Amino acid sequence: MAKRKNFGIKNFFFSLIAVCIVIYIFQSLHGSVETVVAVKGDLENIIKAEGIIVKDERIYNATLDGSVTYYYEEGSKVKQGQLIANLNTDSNSVQINKQIAEIEAAINSKKKNPEVAAVATKEALTLYEDDIQDSILKNEFDNMYNIVGQVDNNGAVFVNQGTYDSYDINQLENMKKDLEKSISTHKVPYYSAKAGIITYKIDGLEEVYNIEDVYNLTASSTLKKEYTVSDKFNKETVSANEGILKIIRNFDYYIAATVDNEKAKLFSENKYIKTRIHSDGQQYEVWGFIKKINYGSEQSVLILYFDDYFYKIYDERYVDLELITDIYEGIKINTESLTEKDGMTGVYVQDASNIIKFFPIEIIGMDENFTIVALGEYVEKDERRLINVDGKRYFTVKIFDKVISDPEMVYEGQIAD
C-alpha cells in the first residue's frame, strides 16, 4: 500500500515538472518577442544613375620639345593672366617668333589699328613662308590655303585664332616681352587664359564631352568609354603639341545622367533635384538644376547644372548618382513588422504592461527595408494620435512604441515576458 502511495506521489511530481517544462517552452516561443523601438525618421525615393561630368576646361599644349617647370600644385585655384608654367627647351627661336607674331596680331586687333596690323600681317607671312613653300612642294595645297587663310588682310586673325581673346592688352604686352626674353633663355612662359582650377591630369575625353555640346548629349553618346588618365606633373620631358596641363572653370559644371525612359518621366525641365554624388568612396549632397531632358527610344539623358562642390570632383569624369525624387517624413519602422488584421494594415505593439496590442497605420512611403507611417492627428498631450481608415478614426502607433519585429509570432492580448 505504501509503495502505491509513493508511486502516486512520484507521478504527481513528474507530471508537474512536465507541465512546467511545457509552460516554459510555450513562453519561450510565444512569450518573449523581439521588438524594435519606433522612431521619427525619413525615407528617400531614390533613382540611381550613371553620370558624366562635363566641364569648361582647356588644355595647354607644349609648343616645343622640352621639360616643364610648374608653379602651382594640383588642384590650386589660379587667376586669369597668372604665370602657371615655363617650357624649358633648347630648340631654335622659330616657334617662339611665331607666338610673338600671333600675340602682336592680337594686340593690334584689340587696338584696331589697320596700318600696324597690315605690317604684322606681312611679318607673319614671312614667318610662315617656309611652311607655305613646304606645303607647295608636297602638293598639300589644302594645308597651304589653311596657313594663308589664317592671316587676313587686316592682320587681325592669326594662327590659334581666339587663343588670346580673353587677355587684355597689358597682359598681352607682358606675354610678348617674356617670349622675347625666352629666345635667349630658352624658356617659353604659359599664362592662365581664365580663372579656375589647375590640374595636370588629362584623360583624353576633354573634346568628347565638350561643354559647348552638353545640351546635345544622348543615351548613345553617354556610353562609358575606356580612358587613361595621364598625370603630367612629374613627367620629365614633353613633346611638341603634347598636353601639359589644363585649367577648369570652377564656378559651375554639368552632369549628364542616363536613366530609363519610365524614370525620366518623373522629372521635369527647369526644376531642382537633390542629388547625391558618389566619388572615391565619398558622397556629396548637392542641388542640381534640370536644364534639359533628351528622350531616346529606351533611355533618356538628364542634363543637370551645378554650381557647388566642384572642388571635390574636378578631376573625375564618370560618377555614380542618386537622384532623390521624394523624401517622406514620419515614424520609421521595419517593413517586416507590417501585418493585416480585420482588413487593416498595422503593427503589433508591446505596451508598458507587456500586453500585445494591434494598431492600424497610415503608410506614407516604404521600401523593402523600412516604412514611414503618418504621425496622426493630435488629440492632447501624452495621448495617442488618431488616423482615419475608411471613414473611422483609430489610435495609431507612436514614437518610442516597442513594435513587434515578427507579427506572425504574436496575437492580440498576449502577455509577453
Side-chain angles (χ1 to χ4, degrees):
M1 188 73 178
K3 288 183 178 181
R4 287 184 179 181
K5 186 176 181 180
N6 290 336
F7 181 76
I9 293 173
K10 289 180 179 179
N11 283 344
F12 172 77
F13 280 113
F14 279 126
S15 298
L16 181 62
I17 291 171
V19 170
C20 290
I21 292 173
V22 171
I23 293 173
Y24 174 77
I25 293 173
F26 181 82
Q27 288 182 337
S28 297
L29 293 175
H30 297 280
S32 298
V33 292
E34 183 179 348
T35 63
V36 176
V37 176
V39 296
K40 192 172 183 180
D42 58 54
L43 186 66
E44 298 172 335
N45 188 9
I46 293 174
I47 293 177
K48 294 184 178 181
E50 291 184 347
I52 301 173
I53 300 177
V54 183
K55 325 160 195 179
D56 184 357
E57 53 192 340
R58 174 185 168 183
I59 296 178
Y60 292 70
N61 295 314
T63 54
L64 305 165
D65 296 343
S67 62
V68 185
T69 301
Y70 296 108
Y71 296 113
Y72 291 92
E73 295 292 327
E74 168 74 26
S76 299
K77 292 182 179 180
V78 296
K79 297 179 181 179
Q80 180 187 13
Q82 284 185 305
L83 178 65
I84 51 178
N86 267 328
L87 176 63
N88 310 303
T89 178
D90 292 330
S91 301
N92 58 47
S93 60
V94 173
Q95 291 292 336
I96 299 176
N97 281 325
K98 287 182 179 180
Q99 281 187 271
I100 293 173
E102 292 171 5
I103 293 174
E104 183 68 34
I107 293 171
N108 294 331
S109 177
K110 288 180 180 292
K111 290 180 178 179
K112 296 183 179 179
N113 188 335
E115 293 181 2
V116 177
V119 175
T121 301
K122 186 175 180 180
E123 292 176 353
L125 285 171
T126 301
L127 287 169
Y128 288 94
E129 183 176 354
D130 291 340
D131 292 336
I132 294 171
Q133 289 178 351
D134 186 58
S135 296
I136 294 173
L137 291 173
K138 294 180 179 179
N139 292 322
E140 296 175 352
F141 295 107
D142 288 341
N143 186 51
M144 183 268 292
Y145 289 130
N146 183 52
I147 295 171
V148 174
Q150 292 174 50
V151 185
D152 70 6
N153 293 330
N154 294 322
V157 182
F158 257 81
V159 173
N160 295 330
Q161 180 181 2
T163 299
Y164 303 103
D165 288 349
S166 59
Y167 298 98
D168 60 34
I169 292 177
N170 288 333
Q171 290 172 331
L172 291 171
E173 292 283 5
N174 290 330
M175 291 168 65
K176 179 186 173 184
K177 290 178 182 178
D178 287 336
L179 282 170
E180 288 171 342
K181 292 179 182 177
S182 70
I183 294 175
S184 59
T185 61
H186 301 290
K187 290 183 179 181
V188 181
Y190 285 79
Y191 296 87
S192 54
K194 59 185 175 183
I197 292 177
I198 191 169
T199 177
Y200 307 102
K201 298 175 181 177
I202 299 174
D203 60 19
L205 299 178
E206 288 80 7
E207 292 301 322
V208 176
Y209 303 118
N210 192 296
I211 198 164
E212 282 77 18
D213 298 324
V214 66
Y215 291 146
N216 299 321
L217 288 174
T218 61
S220 60
S221 61
T222 57
L223 294 175
K224 197 169 185 178
K225 303 180 185 299
E226 295 292 331
Y227 70 102
T228 301
V229 178
S230 178
D231 192 338
K232 307 292 184 175
F233 190 76
N234 294 315
K235 192 171 182 182
E236 293 184 358
T237 60
V238 296
S239 302
N241 299 318
E242 178 182 347
I244 57 175
L245 60 88
K246 67 181 177 183
I247 294 179
I248 311 171
R249 175 184 169 87
N250 62 309
F251 298 114
D252 48 19
Y253 58 102
Y254 294 86
I255 296 182
T258 304
V259 298
D260 294 336
N261 282 346
E262 287 301 313
K263 294 177 180 177
K265 294 177 182 177
L266 299 174
F267 304 93
S268 300
E269 292 183 354
N270 301 317
K271 299 287 186 180
Y272 283 96
I273 178 72
K274 187 176 182 182
T275 307
R276 190 172 292 119
I277 303 173
H278 294 264
S279 173
D280 291 334
Q282 303 292 323
Q283 60 181 32
Y284 312 99
E285 288 187 359
V286 58
W287 285 92
F289 188 75
I290 304 174
K291 286 281 192 177
K292 190 179 180 185
I293 302 177
N294 293 330
Y295 293 96
S297 58
E298 296 181 0
Q299 291 184 310
S300 301
V301 178
L302 310 180
I303 309 300
L304 309 176
Y305 171 84
F306 298 89
D307 59 4
D308 199 4
Y309 280 99
F310 184 59
Y311 65 97
K312 294 286 189 180
I313 56 171
Y314 76 91
D315 57 347
E316 297 288 337
R317 183 64 68 183
Y318 297 107
V319 291
D320 292 325
L321 303 176
E322 291 181 0
L323 306 175
I324 304 167
T325 58
D326 277 304
I327 301 177
Y328 309 107
E329 295 181 348
I331 297 176
K332 191 173 185 178
I333 59 177
N334 292 339
T335 298
E336 64 182 11
S337 299
L338 303 185
T339 188
E340 296 283 335
K341 184 177 184 297
D342 299 330
M344 293 184 291
T345 301
V347 294
Y348 284 112
V349 172
Q350 180 179 336
D351 70 6
S353 302
N354 291 336
I355 299 175
I356 305 299
K357 294 182 179 179
F358 176 83
F359 290 101
I361 59 173
E362 178 185 346
I363 297 175
I364 299 177
M366 65 185 302
D367 60 23
E368 59 182 11
N369 297 315
F370 297 102
T371 297
I372 300 297
V373 302
L375 290 168
E377 179 185 343
Y378 178 80
V379 180
E380 60 180 273
K381 187 178 180 181
D382 299 328
E383 286 290 331
R384 285 188 177 274
R385 297 190 175 197
L386 295 168
I387 60 172
N388 288 308
V389 180
D390 296 331
K392 295 182 180 180
R393 299 188 351 140
Y394 298 89
F395 288 114
T396 189
V397 66
K398 63 183 179 67
I399 297 174
F400 303 131
D401 270 347
K402 293 181 179 180
V403 179
I404 306 302
S405 297
D406 189 353
E408 299 298 323
M409 300 297 293
V410 298
Y411 56 88
E412 178 85 11
Q414 177 184 336
I415 300 177
D417 288 343

